[in-house]
Amino acid sequence: MPELPEVETVSQGLRERALGRRILGVEVRHPGVVVGSLKQFAAQVEGRTIVSVQRKGKVLALELEAENAPPCYLLVRLGMTGQFTVAAREAPLEPHTHVLLALGEREELRFRDVRRFGRLRCCTREELEAAFDRLGPDAQQMTEEQFLDALRGRRGAIKSWLMNQQLLAGLGNIYADESLFVAGIHPLAQPGRISARNARRLFRAVRKVLDHAVKLQGTTFRDYVDIEGRPGNYELRLRVYQRTGKPCRRCGRPIRRIVIAGRSSHFCPACQPRPREVTKMRGPRH
Ligand SMILES: [Zn+2]
């Protein structure tokens, strides 16, 4: 599932390839991925020029300008398997391509999504601000103070805390696992009980992991590709995610997997020691 580094890579690609270009036509092949009326969607997007690309957490927004109307924003959520690519108009369509936005005569922006959890929605500036306000600070932009404040007094598992978009926007399963490993923190530790030293270490780990992943254009497991259709390069750098049973890159002990709130968590039992008090979970002890 695309997380902050993948969405940032797509937004950088859009800035390079789509900025300043006019959307000449819209074709919606699967209406389920567009929020609201299709007619209205087409009317709002067609003929407008893409003048900026913004991102907060995993949400993208393309600002669309028209001559005699207030700007509108195309809000894009890639969901589980959403892809946004620029292709030549004559290039064959891949299956599961749901929306085509013609960029000039020769190229088009294509939205493809196998699982169809992704969404495109046109909205006003106020609606965009409201959507962004519902998210916590962006995980790449937040200050240390914001991060420490948000941890204070929180219960539950730190892994779930890192993935809660209302507290911190941008992390999903991959980069939450990786950040906890880099910081040496067990995924079941309670956010409010982490020492100040470890909390600062976690803040720096999140930044370091995200910055590095953005540099390598993200991680591809199944479907994620950048705007040119290329996979990410971070996969080989993963330390714990999906490495169950493989040796820890730091100490050699096998990486373990536990399930927290229905999601797999991968960690090294030696490098991420279990604190004395952890979040209580149903089921067998881990
Ligand atoms: Zn280890």
Side-chain angles (χ1 to χ4, degrees):
M1 173 176 181
E3 302 179 27
L4 187 150
E6 292 78 38
V7 179
E8 175 58 24
T9 304
V10 170
S11 74
Q12 287 175 6
L14 283 169
R15 281 185 205 115
E16 279 167 30
R17 296 291 301 273
L19 219 54
R21 302 188 71 180
R22 203 159 156 234
I23 300 170
L24 293 187
V26 180
E27 186 190 336
V28 178
R29 300 165 54 88
H30 192 287
V33 299
V34 170
V35 179
S37 128
L38 285 189
K39 235 180 173 175
Q40 219 175 347
F41 177 80
Q44 281 176 316
V45 171
E46 228 165 64
R48 286 179 179 254
T49 304
I50 302 170
V51 292
S52 83
V53 180
Q54 301 166 35
R55 178 191 62 75
K56 186 170 184 189
K58 308 180 207 173
V59 183
L60 265 178
L62 277 62
E63 184 181 354
L64 308 179
E65 197 182 65
E67 266 175 36
N68 298 313
C72 83
Y73 295 84
L74 179 60
L75 212 68
V76 182
R77 294 174 196 271
L78 295 176
M80 300 274 286
T81 53
Q83 301 174 343
F84 227 175
T85 54
V86 173
R89 288 182 79 168
E90 68 270 15
L93 276 189
E94 286 193 75
H96 311 288
T97 301
H98 305 312
V99 179
L100 307 169
L101 304 174
L103 294 179
E105 301 294 336
R106 292 202 185 149
E107 288 184 325
E108 58 196 10
L109 255 182
R110 294 177 173 181
F111 181 70
R112 176 174 184 262
D113 189 358
V114 175
R115 300 283 300 271
R116 291 207 304 254
F117 286 111
R119 289 290 176 270
L120 304 185
R121 175 189 157 205
C122 266
C123 61
T124 62
R125 183 191 293 270
E126 290 72 31
E127 288 167 330
L128 171 75
E129 282 168 5
F132 276 3
D133 282 348
R134 280 194 286 276
L135 300 171
D138 181 83
Q140 224 188 358
Q141 308 288 329
M142 71 185 165
T143 63
E144 187 179 81
E145 208 182 344
Q146 282 175 317
F147 186 83
L148 299 178
D149 268 356
L151 278 175
R152 213 154 284 144
R154 285 273 166 182
R155 299 164 77 113
I158 185 68
K159 171 68 187 288
S160 308
W161 181 91
L162 282 171
M163 290 171 57
N164 183 336
Q165 301 302 299
Q166 277 141 28
L167 299 173
L168 182 67
L171 293 183
N173 223 16
I174 299 176
Y175 300 106
D177 278 1
E178 293 296 304
S179 301
L180 287 170
F181 175 81
V182 170
I185 295 172
H186 192 282
L188 283 174
Q190 289 193 34
R193 288 180 178 261
I194 291 173
S195 69
R197 188 163 160 261
N198 275 349
R200 279 195 290 274
R201 194 183 278 176
L202 180 58
F203 168 77
R204 287 194 298 270
V206 167
R207 274 290 180 80
K208 185 179 153 190
V209 164
L210 291 177
D211 289 349
H212 192 198
V214 167
K215 247 182 221 150
L216 292 175
Q217 293 95 37
T219 307
T220 295
F221 268 96
R222 281 179 310 187
D223 296 276
Y224 163 73
V225 291
D226 72 3
I227 199 93
E228 317 285 350
R230 298 172 300 210
N233 300 305
Y234 193 69
E235 199 181 326
L236 292 173
R237 307 300 177 100
L238 293 173
R239 298 157 175 100
V240 286
Y241 183 75
Q242 297 267 324
R243 295 192 66 244
T244 312
K246 292 186 178 144
C248 169
R249 299 196 199 278
R250 197 182 283 159
C251 75
R253 292 266 298 267
I255 298 300
R256 287 192 55 191
R257 173 182 170 274
I258 57 174
V259 176
I260 301 173
R263 307 292 301 271
S264 290
S265 284
H266 310 83
F267 70 104
C268 170
C271 297
Q272 295 164 266
R274 184 185 168 92
R276 232 175 298 148
E277 274 191 73
V278 297
T279 297
K280 289 198 179 66
M281 303 215 325
R282 284 188 206 142
R285 271 181 67 92
H286 299 288

